[in-house]
Amino acid sequence: VRPMAADDLARVIALDASQMGRRREEFLERRWRAAFQAPGINIALVACLDDDLAGYLLGQVLYGAFGVTTPLAALDTIIVGGPWRRNRVGRALLDRFRAHLAGLRIHLISTVVPWNRRELLGFLDAAGFRPARDQHLVWDLAEYPFAPRETEAVVRPARSQDLLSIVSVDMEDVPASRKLYFTAKQKAHE
């Protein structure tokens, strides 16, 4: 297992498409770029057996995401090719991810898994993942469209000079500063 290199991206995209049944090039390219721009926060790992790309893992560190004031990591995706699924490739990827996070003193990893991906759920269960206490909510805008209320507020995209104000307003609802989180999000969107 090693960090993803620039020349791995095409093989990662091909492996991902073969396992997911669809191409996710834009997502993978965006996460790959993020891993090279901020490698301490965005993690991209590949597992190779001989010369074959056997699997990959993408994750990120979330300092203050979703109102959580302790550092948290997100496992964005882990894919292992069919021929290598019983060779502990996924476990090796997770172990390397956890070692990286331990060096950052992060002890909590979160992920979202479709309920019908039973093989993946079984793998994550064996690795030590458990259901979260939080409830994941989804808003179907097609079924329940947003009906804006009359307001005098002007809504615009945040700018870099807004960072201190955002942190100040955020601290009214969250007991600890999430400045690192907001700074990382701002850099990711520049």
Side-chain angles (χ1 to χ4, degrees):
V1 175
R2 61 171 172 74
M4 189 184 294
D7 60 347
D8 292 322
L9 184 60
R11 293 190 306 163
V12 164
I13 290 170
L15 176 63
D16 186 80
S18 75
Q19 300 304 304
M20 297 299 292
R22 66 190 191 323
R23 294 184 68 81
R24 303 188 302 167
E25 282 182 67
E26 185 178 314
F27 164 72
L28 294 170
E29 288 172 355
R30 187 174 60 250
R31 297 296 295 126
W32 175 79
R33 275 193 306 277
F36 284 97
Q37 291 170 349
I41 294 174
N42 299 288
I43 298 101
L45 302 171
V46 294
C48 297
L49 290 172
D50 300 320
D51 290 332
D52 294 323
L53 180 76
Y56 77 91
L57 178 149
L58 297 173
Q60 58 185 308
V61 175
L62 304 170
Y63 290 104
F66 307 110
V68 177
T69 56
T70 57
L72 166 74
L75 173 60
D76 293 326
T77 189
I78 183 168
I79 297 286
V80 175
W84 300 284
R85 288 219 173 122
R86 301 288 177 232
N87 292 346
R88 299 186 51 83
V89 171
R91 189 59 184 230
L93 285 162
L94 269 184
D95 288 347
R96 179 75 181 263
F97 185 50
R98 286 193 294 207
H100 178 82
L101 298 173
L104 298 172
R105 295 188 174 160
I106 295 173
H107 306 290
L108 187 62
I109 302 172
S110 177
T111 194
V112 176
V113 182
W115 70 272
N116 60 349
R117 299 278 311 274
R118 287 175 176 71
E119 185 178 5
L120 179 56
L121 287 167
F123 166 75
L124 293 172
D125 179 43
F129 282 80
R130 299 294 174 258
R133 291 177 296 203
D134 301 330
Q135 179 64 47
H136 180 77
L137 302 176
V138 177
W139 182 1
D140 183 347
L141 296 176
E143 190 173 343
Y144 302 100
F146 178 68
R149 293 180 281 176
E150 295 297 320
T151 182
E152 297 295 319
V154 176
V155 178
R156 62 168 170 76
R159 298 184 293 240
S160 59
Q161 58 265 34
D162 296 327
L163 182 61
L164 291 178
S165 296
I166 291 169
V167 170
S168 176
V169 169
D170 183 65
M171 287 187 69
E172 293 174 13
D173 288 326
V174 179
S177 175
R178 298 190 300 163
K179 185 175 181 181
L180 286 174
Y181 167 72
F182 288 117
T183 301
K185 284 296 186 185
Q186 177 185 2
K187 287 182 181 178
H189 289 94
E190 288 179 347

